[in-house]
Structure formats: structure tokens, C-alpha cells
Amino acid sequence: MSLETFSAPRSGAKSRTNFEMLSWLFMRISGVVLVFLVLGHLLIMNILDGGVQRINFGFVAGRWASPFWQIWDLLQLWLAIIHGTNGLRTIIADYAPQKPGRQVRFWLQTVLMISAVFVLFAGTLVIFTFDPTIG
Amino acid sequence: MASGTLYRGREGMWSWVAHRITGVAVYLFLLVHVLDTALVRVDPNLYDTVIASYKTPIVNLLEVGLVAAVLYHALNGIRIILVDFWSKGPRYQRAMLWVVMAIWLVLMVPGAFFMLRHTVEKMLGA
């Protein structure tokens, strides 16, 4: 059996624009950074030192007292949301039908973008305005 | 696989299918997770109540699934980058998937053990 090799990408004309090339590059660069940020996050939050059982408000307050974890979480939030939203955008573009008058794809993309912006805004606001003395 | 389709089957296609499924699953959790964490800005007691649900046996099991999905997506993502940027990547894509699966298994076994230990101990009354 001979080894198979890949032919040139067969996706359509859409992927030839500069935006799609930058999107492709962003997925790989953000992906590498997220491997460290997210696996580190999961290791600390779920596995080390009792994992999820020890997490409560005080635990979060203790972590966000340090700029290191604030920056970690902020970078992780932005990269993960943009990486994930871009992935979902691609998947919707691949599978959602584009029927005249139905606009399924348009509405799915719109709901995706609104959700992403809302969650990004909420998460960023919480990291920047966190108050350990609340309540 | 029918000829003329984009879907070629075997390791190349199925790893891609799994990459998409794990990606969507992790993304949906991420949206929920940012919002539940945002409760630290609203009320500490409310946050603690919601986080308590993360400590129940069933959700604890779902967390193992989440970590499994993220770990696969991360390792296969590195494989994709190597396929794209390493000159020998395309030739070794199949072998690299087996490396991905091996590393995934080696990390998941102790990972699942530590994640579920508390839940299992509590259920056994230890």
C-alpha cells in the first residue's frame, strides 16, 4: 500500500480571500497559545489539589488578587471566544443551507455573533471590575 | 465512501469530524462557563450555589468528558498544525493521530482518576 498524500485544498473560492487566510492563520496561532492556557486552567481547576471540590468565591478572589491570573484569564477568554466563534462560523457556513427567502445561515451567524460579543463583554467586565469585598 | 465526495473516510476524515464535534461541545460549555463565572460579580452566595452543582456526581462525570474533549481538540490541533507547516506532516498524519490517541489516553487515565476520586470516595462512604 502506498502512502497517501494530500492534494491541494479543495474548498471553494471563499477561502481565497485575505480574510479567510488570516482566519486560518489565527486558528493555528491562537490554538497553540490556548493549548497552554486552557490545559493549564483545567489542570489547576479540575485536577490538582482537590480539583473542582475546592472552588468557591474565596478561591476565585484569591486567584484574581494576582495580576498574573487576571491576565491569564483575560487572554484565555478572548482567544477562546474568538477561536471558538470562528470555528462555529466555519461550521455554520459549511452546513446551514442558503435557501432564497429563508436566510437560515444569516440568522445562525447573527445569533452566534451576538452571543459571542455578549459573553466576551460580560467576561471582560467581570475580570476588570471584580470586587472581593462584595456582598 | 462514494467516489466524488469530499469525505474520504479513515483516520483523516474521522479525526476531522471529532475535531468539529469536540470544538462545538467545548464552545457551548465555554459560553455557559463565562456566564456562571460572571456571578462572582453579582453575589458570592449565588456563585457558590451554582458552583456547588459542578461538584455533584453527574456534573463531575460531565467534567471528565469536557476535559477529554478539550484534550483531544488540543492534541489533534497540534497534529493539524504539523500537517500544515511541517514538510513531512501530511505523510505522517495517520501515524500522528495514533500518537495523539496514545498521549490522550496516557493523560486521561490519571486525569480522570484525580477528577473523580472525591466523588467515588463519597459514594463509597470512605
Side-chain angles (χ1 to χ4, degrees):
Chain A
M1 191 187 74
S2 65
L3 286 167
E4 283 181 39
T5 53
F6 278 82
S7 54
R10 286 149 294 165
S11 50
K14 268 192 308 176
S15 62
R16 298 203 187 123
T17 64
N18 197 38
F19 176 78
E20 292 301 340
M21 192 278 281
L22 289 175
S23 148
W24 174 87
L25 192 61
F26 172 79
M27 292 309 262
R28 278 140 189 84
I29 295 170
S30 60
V32 170
V33 180
L34 283 166
V35 166
F36 294 98
L37 292 178
V38 175
L39 292 185
H41 178 79
L42 290 176
L43 183 67
I44 293 164
M45 294 301 186
N46 290 285
I47 295 172
L48 296 182
D49 193 28
V52 74
Q53 303 296 333
R54 78 202 193 288
I55 296 177
N56 56 28
F57 181 84
F59 185 81
V60 176
R63 278 169 61 80
W64 279 350
S66 153
F68 179 82
W69 295 116
Q70 285 181 316
I71 293 167
W72 180 302
D73 285 350
L74 192 66
L75 192 61
Q76 178 174 249
L77 171 72
W78 277 74
L79 289 180
I81 291 286
I82 298 173
H83 183 103
T85 305
N86 197 38
L88 267 282
R89 179 185 71 84
T90 307
I91 289 174
I92 292 170
D94 274 355
Y95 302 120
Q98 254 190 331
K99 289 176 185 162
R102 296 259 330 266
Q103 297 182 301
V104 179
R105 185 186 294 190
F106 171 79
W107 286 112
L108 283 174
Q109 298 287 24
T110 303
V111 169
L112 173 70
M113 292 306 157
I114 291 172
S115 311
V117 169
F118 175 75
V119 168
L120 203 50
F121 177 78
T124 304
L125 187 74
V126 167
I127 293 174
F128 276 109
T129 68
F130 178 70
D131 175 11
T133 65
I134 192 177
Chain B
M1 283 295 143
S3 63
T5 173
L6 284 171
Y7 300 107
R8 294 179 166 192
R10 305 201 57 172
E11 293 89 337
M13 182 192 106
W14 292 112
S15 63
W16 168 83
V17 169
H19 201 77
R20 290 200 150 183
I21 293 172
T22 53
V24 172
V26 170
Y27 183 73
L28 294 177
F29 169 75
L30 174 64
L31 295 184
V32 175
H33 180 50
V34 174
L35 296 178
D36 71 53
T37 304
L39 293 175
V40 295
R41 192 67 193 87
V42 180
D43 177 22
N45 293 322
L46 182 60
Y47 176 78
D48 285 350
T49 306
V50 171
I51 287 305
S53 65
Y54 278 88
K55 305 173 187 180
T56 61
I58 290 171
V59 182
N60 195 212
L61 204 57
L62 289 172
E63 284 150 18
V64 177
L66 174 75
V67 170
V70 170
L71 187 59
Y72 171 78
H73 199 86
L75 294 171
N76 191 55
I78 294 168
R79 170 176 163 269
I80 291 170
I81 291 169
L82 289 172
V83 168
D84 285 348
F85 290 105
W86 178 35
S87 60
K88 289 176 183 166
R91 194 196 300 172
Y92 293 119
Q93 64 90 9
R94 188 167 293 157
M96 285 195 290
L97 182 64
W98 296 110
V99 175
V100 162
M101 298 308 280
I103 297 172
W104 181 87
L105 193 66
V106 165
L107 295 178
M108 275 314 290
V109 170
F113 172 80
F114 286 112
M115 289 180 74
L116 294 171
R117 186 165 63 173
H118 177 87
T119 295
V120 172
E121 280 175 357
K122 214 163 92 177
M123 286 171 97
L124 297 176

Coordinates of all heavy atoms in Angstrom, one line a residue, chain A residues 26-102:
Chain A
F26 N -5.0 32.6 12.2 CA -5.4 32.9 13.6 C -5.7 31.6 14.3 O -5.3 31.5 15.5 CB -6.5 33.9 13.6 CG -7.1 34.1 15.0 CD1 -6.4 34.9 15.9 CD2 -8.2 33.3 15.5 CE1 -6.9 35.0 17.2 CE2 -8.6 33.5 16.8 CZ -8.0 34.3 17.6
M27 N -6.4 30.7 13.7 CA -6.8 29.5 14.4 C -5.6 28.7 14.9 O -5.6 28.1 15.9 CB -7.7 28.6 13.4 CG -9.0 29.1 13.1 SD -10.0 29.6 14.6 CE -11.0 28.2 14.8
R28 N -4.5 28.7 14.1 CA -3.3 28.0 14.4 C -2.5 28.7 15.5 O -2.0 28.0 16.4 CB -2.5 27.7 13.2 CG -3.0 26.5 12.4 CD -3.1 26.6 10.9 NE -3.8 25.5 10.3 CZ -5.1 25.5 10.2 NH1 -5.9 26.5 10.6 NH2 -5.7 24.4 9.7
I29 N -2.4 30.0 15.4 CA -1.6 30.7 16.4 C -2.3 30.7 17.7 O -1.8 30.4 18.8 CB -1.3 32.2 15.9 CG1 -0.4 32.1 14.6 CG2 -0.7 33.0 17.0 CD1 -0.3 33.5 13.9
S30 N -3.6 31.1 17.7 CA -4.4 31.1 19.0 C -4.5 29.7 19.5 O -4.5 29.5 20.7 CB -5.8 31.7 18.7 OG -6.5 30.9 17.8
G31 N -4.6 28.7 18.6 CA -4.6 27.3 19.1 C -3.4 26.9 19.9 O -3.6 26.3 21.0
V32 N -2.2 27.3 19.5 CA -1.0 26.9 20.2 C -1.0 27.6 21.6 O -0.7 26.9 22.6 CB 0.2 27.4 19.4 CG1 1.5 27.2 20.3 CG2 0.4 26.5 18.2
V33 N -1.4 28.9 21.6 CA -1.4 29.6 22.9 C -2.5 29.0 23.8 O -2.3 28.7 25.0 CB -1.7 31.1 22.7 CG1 -1.7 31.8 24.0 CG2 -0.7 31.7 21.8
L34 N -3.7 28.6 23.3 CA -4.8 28.1 24.1 C -4.4 26.7 24.6 O -4.9 26.3 25.7 CB -6.0 28.0 23.2 CG -6.8 29.3 23.0 CD1 -7.8 29.2 21.9 CD2 -7.4 29.8 24.3
V35 N -3.6 25.9 23.9 CA -3.2 24.6 24.4 C -2.6 24.8 25.9 O -3.0 24.1 26.8 CB -2.2 23.9 23.5 CG1 -1.5 22.7 24.2 CG2 -2.9 23.4 22.2
F36 N -1.7 25.8 26.0 CA -1.1 26.0 27.3 C -2.1 26.7 28.3 O -2.2 26.2 29.4 CB 0.2 26.9 27.1 CG 1.2 26.3 26.3 CD1 1.4 26.5 25.0 CD2 2.1 25.3 27.0 CE1 2.4 25.9 24.3 CE2 3.1 24.7 26.2 CZ 3.2 25.0 24.9
L37 N -2.8 27.7 27.8 CA -3.7 28.4 28.7 C -4.8 27.5 29.2 O -5.1 27.4 30.4 CB -4.3 29.6 28.1 CG -3.4 30.8 27.7 CD1 -4.1 31.9 27.0 CD2 -2.7 31.4 29.0
V38 N -5.5 26.8 28.3 CA -6.7 26.0 28.7 C -6.3 24.7 29.4 O -6.9 24.4 30.4 CB -7.5 25.7 27.5 CG1 -8.7 24.8 27.8 CG2 -8.1 27.0 26.9
L39 N -5.2 24.0 28.9 CA -4.9 22.8 29.7 C -4.3 23.2 31.0 O -4.6 22.4 32.0 CB -3.8 22.0 28.8 CG -4.4 21.4 27.5 CD1 -3.3 20.5 26.9 CD2 -5.6 20.5 27.8
G40 N -3.6 24.3 31.2 CA -3.2 24.8 32.5 C -4.4 25.1 33.4 O -4.4 24.7 34.5
H41 N -5.4 25.7 32.8 CA -6.6 26.1 33.5 C -7.3 24.8 34.0 O -7.7 24.7 35.2 CB -7.5 26.9 32.6 CG -8.8 27.3 33.2 ND1 -9.0 28.3 34.1 CD2 -10.1 26.8 33.0 CE1 -10.2 28.5 34.4 NE2 -10.9 27.5 33.8
L42 N -7.5 23.8 33.1 CA -8.1 22.6 33.5 C -7.4 21.8 34.6 O -7.9 21.2 35.5 CB -8.4 21.7 32.3 CG -9.4 22.3 31.3 CD1 -9.4 21.3 30.0 CD2 -10.8 22.3 31.9
L43 N -6.0 21.8 34.4 CA -5.2 21.1 35.4 C -5.4 21.7 36.8 O -5.6 21.0 37.8 CB -3.7 21.2 34.9 CG -2.7 20.4 35.8 CD1 -2.9 18.9 35.7 CD2 -1.3 20.8 35.4
I44 N -5.3 23.0 36.9 CA -5.4 23.7 38.2 C -6.8 23.6 38.7 O -7.0 23.2 39.9 CB -5.1 25.2 38.0 CG1 -3.6 25.4 37.7 CG2 -5.4 26.0 39.3 CD1 -3.2 26.7 37.2
M45 N -7.9 23.8 37.9 CA -9.2 23.9 38.4 C -9.9 22.5 38.6 O -10.7 22.4 39.5 CB -10.1 24.7 37.4 CG -9.7 26.1 37.2 SD -9.9 27.0 38.8 CE -9.5 28.6 38.3
N46 N -9.5 21.5 37.8 CA -10.2 20.2 37.9 C -9.3 19.1 38.5 O -9.9 18.1 38.9 CB -10.7 19.8 36.5 CG -11.8 20.7 36.1 OD1 -12.9 20.6 36.5 ND2 -11.5 21.6 35.1
I47 N -8.0 19.2 38.5 CA -7.2 18.0 38.8 C -6.4 18.2 40.1 O -6.4 17.4 41.0 CB -6.3 17.6 37.6 CG1 -7.3 17.2 36.5 CG2 -5.4 16.5 38.0 CD1 -6.6 16.9 35.1
L48 N -5.6 19.3 40.1 CA -4.7 19.5 41.2 C -5.4 19.8 42.5 O -6.4 20.5 42.5 CB -3.7 20.6 40.9 CG -2.7 20.4 39.7 CD1 -1.8 21.6 39.6 CD2 -1.9 19.1 39.9
D49 N -4.8 19.3 43.6 CA -5.2 19.9 45.0 C -6.7 19.8 45.3 O -7.3 20.8 45.8 CB -4.7 21.3 45.1 CG -4.7 21.8 46.5 OD1 -4.6 21.0 47.4 OD2 -4.8 23.0 46.7
G50 N -7.4 18.7 44.9 CA -8.8 18.6 45.2 C -9.7 19.0 44.1 O -10.9 18.8 44.1
G51 N -9.1 19.6 43.0 CA -9.9 19.9 41.8 C -11.1 20.8 42.1 O -11.0 21.8 42.9
V52 N -12.2 20.5 41.4 CA -13.4 21.4 41.5 C -14.0 21.5 42.9 O -14.7 22.5 43.2 CB -14.4 20.9 40.4 CG1 -15.1 19.6 40.9 CG2 -15.5 22.0 40.1
Q53 N -13.7 20.5 43.7 CA -14.4 20.5 45.0 C -13.9 21.7 45.9 O -14.6 22.0 46.8 CB -14.0 19.2 45.8 CG -14.4 17.9 45.0 CD -15.9 17.7 44.8 OE1 -16.7 18.3 45.6 NE2 -16.3 17.0 43.8
R54 N -12.8 22.3 45.6 CA -12.3 23.4 46.4 C -12.6 24.7 45.9 O -12.2 25.8 46.4 CB -10.8 23.3 46.6 CG -10.0 23.8 45.4 CD -8.6 23.2 45.4 NE -7.6 23.7 44.5 CZ -7.6 23.6 43.2 NH1 -8.6 23.0 42.5 NH2 -6.6 24.1 42.5
I55 N -13.4 24.8 44.8 CA -13.6 26.1 44.1 C -14.9 26.7 44.8 O -15.9 26.1 44.9 CB -13.8 25.9 42.6 CG1 -12.5 25.4 42.0 CG2 -14.3 27.2 42.0 CD1 -12.6 25.2 40.5
N56 N -14.7 28.0 45.2 CA -15.8 28.8 45.6 C -15.4 30.3 45.5 O -14.4 30.6 44.9 CB -16.1 28.5 47.1 CG -14.9 28.7 48.0 OD1 -14.0 29.5 47.7 ND2 -14.8 27.9 49.1
F57 N -16.3 31.2 45.9 CA -16.0 32.6 45.7 C -14.6 33.0 46.3 O -13.9 33.7 45.6 CB -17.1 33.4 46.4 CG -16.9 34.9 46.2 CD1 -17.3 35.6 45.1 CD2 -16.2 35.7 47.2 CE1 -17.1 36.9 44.9 CE2 -16.0 37.0 47.1 CZ -16.5 37.7 45.9
G58 N -14.3 32.5 47.5 CA -13.0 32.8 48.1 C -11.8 32.4 47.2 O -10.8 33.1 47.1
F59 N -12.0 31.2 46.6 CA -10.9 30.7 45.7 C -10.7 31.6 44.5 O -9.5 32.0 44.2 CB -11.3 29.3 45.3 CG -10.2 28.6 44.5 CD1 -9.1 28.0 45.1 CD2 -10.3 28.6 43.1 CE1 -8.1 27.3 44.4 CE2 -9.3 27.9 42.3 CZ -8.2 27.3 43.0
V60 N -11.8 32.1 43.9 CA -11.7 33.0 42.8 C -11.1 34.3 43.2 O -10.2 34.8 42.5 CB -13.1 33.2 42.2 CG1 -13.0 34.2 41.0 CG2 -13.7 31.9 41.6
A61 N -11.5 34.8 44.4 CA -11.0 36.1 44.9 C -9.5 36.0 45.1 O -8.7 36.9 44.8 CB -11.7 36.5 46.2
G62 N -9.0 34.8 45.6 CA -7.6 34.6 45.9 C -6.8 34.7 44.6 O -5.7 35.2 44.5
R63 N -7.3 34.0 43.6 CA -6.6 34.0 42.3 C -6.6 35.4 41.6 O -5.5 35.8 41.2 CB -7.3 33.0 41.4 CG -6.9 31.5 41.6 CD -7.8 30.6 40.9 NE -7.7 30.8 39.4 CZ -6.7 30.3 38.7 NH1 -5.7 29.6 39.2 NH2 -6.7 30.5 37.4
W64 N -7.7 36.0 41.6 CA -7.8 37.3 40.9 C -7.1 38.4 41.7 O -7.1 39.6 41.3 CB -9.2 37.7 40.5 CG -9.6 36.9 39.2 CD1 -8.7 36.3 38.4 CD2 -10.9 36.8 38.6 NE1 -9.5 35.7 37.3 CE2 -10.8 36.1 37.5 CE3 -12.1 37.3 39.0 CZ2 -11.8 35.8 36.6 CZ3 -13.2 37.0 38.2 CH2 -13.1 36.3 37.0
A65 N -6.6 38.2 42.9 CA -5.8 39.1 43.6 C -4.4 39.3 42.9 O -3.7 40.3 43.1 CB -5.6 38.7 45.0
S66 N -4.1 38.3 42.0 CA -2.8 38.4 41.3 C -3.0 38.8 39.9 O -3.9 38.2 39.2 CB -2.2 37.0 41.4 OG -1.3 36.8 40.3
P67 N -2.3 39.8 39.4 CA -2.4 40.3 38.0 C -2.1 39.1 37.0 O -2.6 39.1 35.9 CB -1.4 41.4 37.9 CG -1.1 41.8 39.3 CD -1.3 40.7 40.2
F68 N -1.2 38.2 37.5 CA -0.8 37.1 36.6 C -2.0 36.3 36.2 O -2.2 36.0 35.0 CB 0.2 36.2 37.4 CG 0.6 35.0 36.6 CD1 1.6 35.1 35.6 CD2 0.0 33.7 36.8 CE1 2.0 34.0 34.9 CE2 0.4 32.6 36.0 CZ 1.4 32.8 35.1
W69 N -2.9 35.9 37.1 CA -4.1 35.1 36.8 C -5.2 36.0 36.1 O -5.9 35.5 35.3 CB -4.7 34.4 38.0 CG -3.7 33.4 38.6 CD1 -3.1 33.5 39.8 CD2 -3.2 32.3 38.0 NE1 -2.3 32.4 40.0 CE2 -2.3 31.6 38.9 CE3 -3.4 31.7 36.7 CZ2 -1.6 30.5 38.6 CZ3 -2.7 30.5 36.4 CH2 -1.9 29.9 37.4
Q70 N -5.2 37.3 36.4 CA -6.1 38.2 35.7 C -5.8 38.2 34.2 O -6.7 38.1 33.4 CB -6.1 39.6 36.3 CG -6.7 39.7 37.6 CD -6.6 41.2 38.1 OE1 -5.6 41.8 38.1 NE2 -7.7 41.7 38.7
I71 N -4.5 38.4 33.9 CA -4.1 38.5 32.5 C -4.2 37.1 31.9 O -4.7 37.0 30.7 CB -2.6 38.9 32.5 CG1 -2.5 40.4 32.9 CG2 -2.0 38.8 31.0 CD1 -1.1 40.9 33.2
W72 N -3.9 36.0 32.6 CA -4.1 34.7 32.1 C -5.6 34.5 31.7 O -5.9 34.1 30.5 CB -3.7 33.6 33.2 CG -3.9 32.2 32.8 CD1 -5.0 31.6 32.4 CD2 -2.9 31.2 32.8 NE1 -4.8 30.2 32.1 CE2 -3.5 30.0 32.4 CE3 -1.5 31.2 33.1 CZ2 -2.7 28.8 32.3 CZ3 -0.8 30.0 33.1 CH2 -1.4 28.8 32.6
D73 N -6.5 34.8 32.6 CA -7.9 34.6 32.3 C -8.4 35.5 31.2 O -9.3 35.1 30.4 CB -8.7 34.7 33.6 CG -8.6 33.6 34.5 OD1 -8.0 32.5 34.1 OD2 -9.0 33.6 35.7
L74 N -7.9 36.7 31.2 CA -8.4 37.7 30.1 C -7.9 37.2 28.8 O -8.7 37.2 27.8 CB -7.8 39.1 30.4 CG -8.4 40.2 29.6 CD1 -9.9 40.4 30.0 CD2 -7.6 41.5 29.9
L75 N -6.7 36.8 28.6 CA -6.1 36.3 27.4 C -6.8 35.1 26.9 O -7.2 34.9 25.8 CB -4.6 36.1 27.5 CG -3.8 35.8 26.3 CD1 -3.9 37.1 25.3 CD2 -2.4 35.5 26.6
Q76 N -7.1 34.2 27.9 CA -7.7 32.9 27.7 C -9.2 33.1 27.2 O -9.6 32.5 26.2 CB -7.7 32.1 29.0 CG -8.4 30.7 28.9 CD -8.3 30.0 30.2 OE1 -7.6 29.0 30.2 NE2 -8.8 30.4 31.2
L77 N -9.8 34.1 27.8 CA -11.2 34.4 27.5 C -11.3 34.9 26.0 O -12.1 34.4 25.2 CB -11.8 35.5 28.4 CG -13.1 36.1 28.0 CD1 -14.3 35.1 28.3 CD2 -13.4 37.4 28.8
W78 N -10.5 35.9 25.7 CA -10.5 36.5 24.4 C -10.1 35.5 23.3 O -10.8 35.4 22.3 CB -9.7 37.7 24.3 CG -10.4 38.9 24.8 CD1 -10.7 39.2 26.1 CD2 -11.0 40.0 24.1 NE1 -11.4 40.3 26.2 CE2 -11.6 40.9 25.0 CE3 -11.1 40.3 22.7 CZ2 -12.3 42.0 24.6 CZ3 -11.8 41.4 22.3 CH2 -12.4 42.3 23.2
L79 N -9.0 34.8 23.5 CA -8.6 33.8 22.5 C -9.6 32.7 22.3 O -9.9 32.3 21.2 CB -7.2 33.3 22.8 CG -6.0 34.3 22.7 CD1 -4.7 33.6 23.1 CD2 -5.9 34.8 21.3
A80 N -10.1 32.2 23.4 CA -11.0 31.0 23.3 C -12.3 31.4 22.6 O -12.9 30.7 21.8 CB -11.3 30.5 24.7
I81 N -12.9 32.6 23.0 CA -14.1 33.0 22.4 C -13.9 33.3 20.9 O -14.8 32.9 20.1 CB -14.7 34.3 23.1 CG1 -15.2 33.9 24.5 CG2 -15.9 34.9 22.3 CD1 -16.5 33.2 24.6
I82 N -12.9 34.0 20.5 CA -12.7 34.3 19.1 C -12.4 33.0 18.3 O -12.9 32.8 17.3 CB -11.5 35.4 18.9 CG1 -11.9 36.7 19.6 CG2 -11.3 35.6 17.4 CD1 -10.8 37.7 19.6
H83 N -11.5 32.2 18.9 CA -11.2 30.9 18.2 C -12.5 30.0 18.1 O -12.7 29.5 17.0 CB -10.2 30.2 19.1 CG -9.6 28.9 18.6 ND1 -8.4 28.7 18.0 CD2 -10.2 27.6 18.5 CE1 -8.2 27.5 17.6 NE2 -9.3 26.8 17.9
G84 N -13.2 29.9 19.1 CA -14.5 29.1 19.1 C -15.5 29.7 18.2 O -16.2 29.0 17.4
T85 N -15.7 31.0 18.2 CA -16.7 31.7 17.4 C -16.3 31.5 15.9 O -17.2 31.3 15.0 CB -16.8 33.2 17.7 OG1 -17.1 33.3 19.1 CG2 -17.9 33.9 16.9
N86 N -15.0 31.7 15.6 CA -14.6 31.5 14.2 C -14.8 30.1 13.8 O -15.1 29.8 12.6 CB -13.1 31.9 14.1 CG -12.7 32.2 12.7 OD1 -13.5 32.7 11.9 ND2 -11.5 31.7 12.3
G87 N -14.6 29.1 14.7 CA -14.8 27.7 14.3 C -16.3 27.5 14.0 O -16.7 26.8 13.0
L88 N -17.2 28.0 14.9 CA -18.6 27.8 14.7 C -19.0 28.5 13.4 O -19.9 28.0 12.7 CB -19.4 28.4 15.9 CG -19.8 27.5 17.0 CD1 -21.0 26.7 16.6 CD2 -18.7 26.6 17.4
R89 N -18.5 29.7 13.1 CA -18.8 30.4 11.9 C -18.5 29.5 10.7 O -19.3 29.5 9.7 CB -17.9 31.7 11.8 CG -18.1 32.5 10.6 CD -17.1 33.7 10.5 NE -15.7 33.3 10.3 CZ -15.2 33.1 9.1 NH1 -16.0 33.2 8.0 NH2 -14.0 32.7 8.9
T90 N -17.3 28.9 10.7 CA -17.0 28.0 9.6 C -17.9 26.8 9.5 O -18.4 26.4 8.4 CB -15.5 27.4 9.8 OG1 -14.7 28.5 10.0 CG2 -15.1 26.6 8.6
I91 N -18.3 26.2 10.6 CA -19.2 25.1 10.6 C -20.6 25.5 10.1 O -21.2 24.8 9.3 CB -19.3 24.4 12.0 CG1 -17.9 23.8 12.3 CG2 -20.4 23.4 12.1 CD1 -17.8 23.2 13.7
I92 N -21.1 26.6 10.5 CA -22.4 27.1 10.0 C -22.3 27.3 8.5 O -23.2 26.9 7.8 CB -22.8 28.4 10.8 CG1 -23.2 28.1 12.2 CG2 -24.0 29.1 10.1 CD1 -23.3 29.4 13.1
A93 N -21.2 28.0 8.1 CA -21.1 28.2 6.6 C -21.1 26.9 5.8 O -21.5 26.8 4.7 CB -19.8 29.0 6.4
D94 N -20.5 25.8 6.5 CA -20.4 24.5 5.8 C -21.8 23.8 5.7 O -22.1 23.2 4.7 CB -19.5 23.6 6.5 CG -18.0 23.8 6.0 OD1 -17.8 24.6 5.1 OD2 -17.1 23.2 6.6
Y95 N -22.6 23.9 6.7 CA -23.8 23.1 6.8 C -25.1 23.8 6.7 O -26.1 23.2 6.3 CB -23.8 22.2 8.1 CG -22.6 21.4 8.3 CD1 -21.7 21.6 9.4 CD2 -22.2 20.4 7.3 CE1 -20.6 20.8 9.5 CE2 -21.1 19.7 7.5 CZ -20.3 19.8 8.6 OH -19.1 19.1 8.7
A96 N -25.2 25.1 7.1 CA -26.5 25.7 7.1 C -26.9 26.1 5.7 O -26.1 26.6 4.9 CB -26.5 27.0 7.9
P97 N -28.1 25.7 5.3 CA -28.5 25.9 3.9 C -28.7 27.4 3.6 O -29.1 28.1 4.5 CB -29.8 25.1 3.8 CG -30.3 25.1 5.2 CD -29.1 25.0 6.1
Q98 N -28.4 27.7 2.4 CA -28.7 29.1 1.9 C -29.8 29.1 0.9 O -29.6 29.1 -0.3 CB -27.4 29.7 1.2 CG -26.7 30.7 2.1 CD -25.6 31.4 1.3 OE1 -25.0 30.8 0.3 NE2 -25.3 32.6 1.6
K99 N -31.0 29.0 1.5 CA -32.2 29.0 0.6 C -32.8 30.4 0.4 O -32.8 31.1 1.4 CB -33.3 28.1 1.2 CG -32.9 26.6 1.2 CD -34.0 25.8 1.8 CE -33.5 24.3 1.9 NZ -34.3 23.5 2.9
P100 N -33.1 30.7 -0.8 CA -33.7 32.0 -1.0 C -34.9 32.3 -0.2 O -35.8 31.5 -0.1 CB -34.1 32.0 -2.5 CG -33.3 30.9 -3.1 CD -33.1 29.9 -2.0
G101 N -34.9 33.4 0.5 CA -36.1 33.8 1.4 C -36.0 33.2 2.8 O -36.8 33.6 3.6
R102 N -35.2 32.2 3.0 CA -35.2 31.5 4.4 C -34.1 32.1 5.2 O -34.3 32.3 6.4 CB -35.0 30.0 4.2 CG -36.2 29.3 3.5 CD -37.2 28.6 4.4 NE -36.7 28.1 5.6 CZ -36.2 26.9 5.8 NH1 -36.3 26.0 4.8 NH2 -35.8 26.4 7.0

